[in-house]
Amino acid sequence: MKNTIRFANWLSRWDDWSGIIRISLATSLFVISIVLLLSLKRRKFDFLKSLSNNLIKNRASKKIGFSHNWHWNDLFLKPTFCNCCESVIVSGAYCNYCNLYTDEKCMKKADKMFKCKQLCDTHEADPDCEKPQKLLHRHWQHNWIKGNLKLNSSCFVCHENDCGCSPNLSDYKCCWCLRTIHEKCLNSVSNRDIVDNCDLGPFRRLLLKPNYLIKISQYSSLSIKDYKINKMLLSMIDYHDWTPLFVFANSKSGSADADVIMSHFNSILNPLQVIEMDKKNIENTLKWMQLYSDLIQFKILVCGGDGSIG
C-alpha cells in the first residue's frame, strides 16, 4: 500500500515537472524561431543594401555589361547548390534571368565569374560586322549554367533522362534555349557546333532575339527604349514567322503573384520583353513597338497579380 502511495506521489510530481519541461521547450522553440526570423530579415536587408550599392557603382562607372538580376530566397524548397563554392545552400540569392544560384558571401564573386543573359548584340563596334555576310553567319552562343536542374532532365546529345540526378552541382542548362546536357557530353562531343551554337530553343519565334538587337545607350539598361532592332540584318533574312511576345505584369494587383509570373517569363524570354506595368514603362514599350510595327507583328500578354491573363 505504501509503495502504491509513493508511486502515486511520484507520478503527481512528474506531471508537475513534465508540464514545466513542456513550457520551457515551447518557450525555447519560440525564442529560437524569433532569433532565426530576425537573422533572416537582417541577412535579406544586408543583401538588398549590397545589391543597391552594386547598382549605384555600375551606374557611376557607366558599366555596359549585363548584370545578374538577383533575388533573395529565405528558404529553397529543393536541394540547391551555390554555383561558386558548390556547397549546399538553404537560403541565398538566385538570378531569375539565367537561374544562377549563390549564397550571400559568394554573390560578388558570382557577378565576376558568370555571365548573365546577354540582352543584345555587342559586336556593333567591330568593323567586320559591317559586312552583311559575316553578320548573317555569326551564330549566337549557348550560355551554359551548371547544376540545379530538374530531376531526370533529358540530355539533348545522348537523350538519356538522368541530367541533374547527381547529389552535387552537375550537368548544365542553357539559359537561352533551355536545353540540358551532361557534363561528359559537353566536353566530349565531337561536333562542337552542337554545344557552342544556340538556336534559342522552342520559343525562338516569340523571343526578342538578342542577336537582332543593338544597344544605343552607354549604360546598363533594362528599358527597351535603349535598344534598337538591327534592320540591316532583318533585310537579309526571312523573319515573317517571328512574332515577339511582350509580357506586361501588374505586381500590385490581386495577391501580388505577378512577381512569380515575371520571374518565369524572365527565364524563358529576353528580360527586355517582361514589363512591369507602370505608366512610364508601358508608354516606352508601346512607342518602341510602334517604331517597328511596319516590319514586325508583335504579341502582347497582360498578366494580373491574381492569375488572370489577357
Side-chain angles (χ1 to χ4, degrees), residues 33 80 140 168 179 183 195 220 237 241 265 270 277 285:
S33 300
T80 305
W140 198 251
N168 54 18
R179 292 186 176 93
E183 187 169 359
V195 296
S220 179
I237 60 175
D241 62 344
F265 278 108
N270 190 324
M277 287 182 67
T285 304

Side-chain angles (χ1 to χ4, degrees), residues 96-260:
N96 70 356
Y97 292 170
C98 66
N99 292 321
L100 193 75
Y101 289 80
T102 177
D103 55 21
E104 185 180 4
K105 68 179 187 299
C106 293
M107 190 179 69
K108 291 183 179 179
K109 186 178 178 181
D111 270 324
K112 297 178 181 178
M113 287 179 59
F114 302 102
K115 292 194 306 180
C116 192
K117 279 185 173 180
Q118 184 176 310
L119 308 183
C120 69
D121 197 338
T122 58
H123 292 77
E124 185 191 18
D126 186 352
D128 290 334
C129 289
E130 296 178 1
K131 300 177 181 179
Q133 293 303 318
K134 187 175 180 67
L135 184 67
L136 182 63
H137 291 97
R138 188 176 67 244
H139 296 285
W140 198 251
Q141 301 295 301
H142 284 293
N143 187 0
W144 296 113
I145 303 297
K146 187 175 182 179
N148 296 309
L149 309 180
K150 292 182 179 179
L151 290 177
N152 300 320
S153 296
S154 176
C155 175
F156 85 102
V157 173
C158 68
H159 306 294
E160 293 183 5
N161 296 322
D162 59 353
C163 278
C165 290
S166 300
N168 54 18
L169 192 72
S170 62
D171 303 328
Y172 291 83
K173 179 179 180 179
C174 175
C175 61
W176 280 112
C177 67
L178 308 180
R179 292 186 176 93
T180 53
I181 185 173
H182 291 118
E183 187 169 359
K184 61 181 180 181
C185 294
L186 180 63
N187 296 326
S188 64
V189 66
S190 57
N191 186 357
R192 298 309 303 176
D193 287 343
I194 296 177
V195 296
D196 290 340
N197 299 330
C198 181
D199 65 357
L200 301 176
F203 302 111
R204 55 184 171 271
R205 293 182 180 179
L206 299 176
L207 197 68
L208 194 59
K209 299 181 180 181
N211 49 330
Y212 289 5
L213 296 175
I214 298 173
K215 198 167 187 294
I216 57 178
S217 171
Q218 61 181 338
Y219 295 110
S220 179
S221 172
L222 276 174
S223 177
I224 191 66
K225 66 181 178 62
D226 293 325
Y227 298 82
K228 66 179 181 179
I229 291 179
N230 191 334
K231 292 185 177 181
M232 182 178 69
L233 181 60
L234 290 187
S235 66
M236 297 185 292
I237 60 175
D238 181 11
Y239 61 89
H240 294 95
D241 62 344
W242 181 45
T243 55
L245 172 69
F246 279 83
V247 179
F248 292 86
N250 187 358
S251 61
K252 297 180 181 179
S253 71
S255 56
D257 288 335
D259 286 338
V260 178

Side-chain angles (χ1 to χ4, degrees), residues 2-3 18 110 193 212 245 296-297:
K2 290 182 179 180
N3 291 335
S18 63
D193 287 343
Y212 289 5
L245 172 69
I296 304 167
Q297 183 179 357

Side-chain angles (χ1 to χ4, degrees), residues 263-309:
S263 179
H264 178 69
F265 278 108
N266 275 326
S267 66
I268 63 176
L269 298 176
N270 190 324
L272 294 174
Q273 297 173 252
V274 185
I275 313 297
E276 169 69 30
M277 287 182 67
D278 63 47
K279 185 176 180 180
K280 186 176 181 180
N281 287 340
I282 294 175
E283 286 182 356
N284 288 337
T285 304
L286 293 179
K287 287 179 180 178
W288 188 89
M289 294 168 68
Q290 184 66 31
L291 292 175
Y292 303 100
S293 59
D294 57 331
L295 297 174
I296 304 167
Q297 183 179 357
F298 295 102
K299 293 183 178 181
I300 294 177
L301 177 66
V302 181
C303 306
D306 56 356
S308 59
I309 59 174

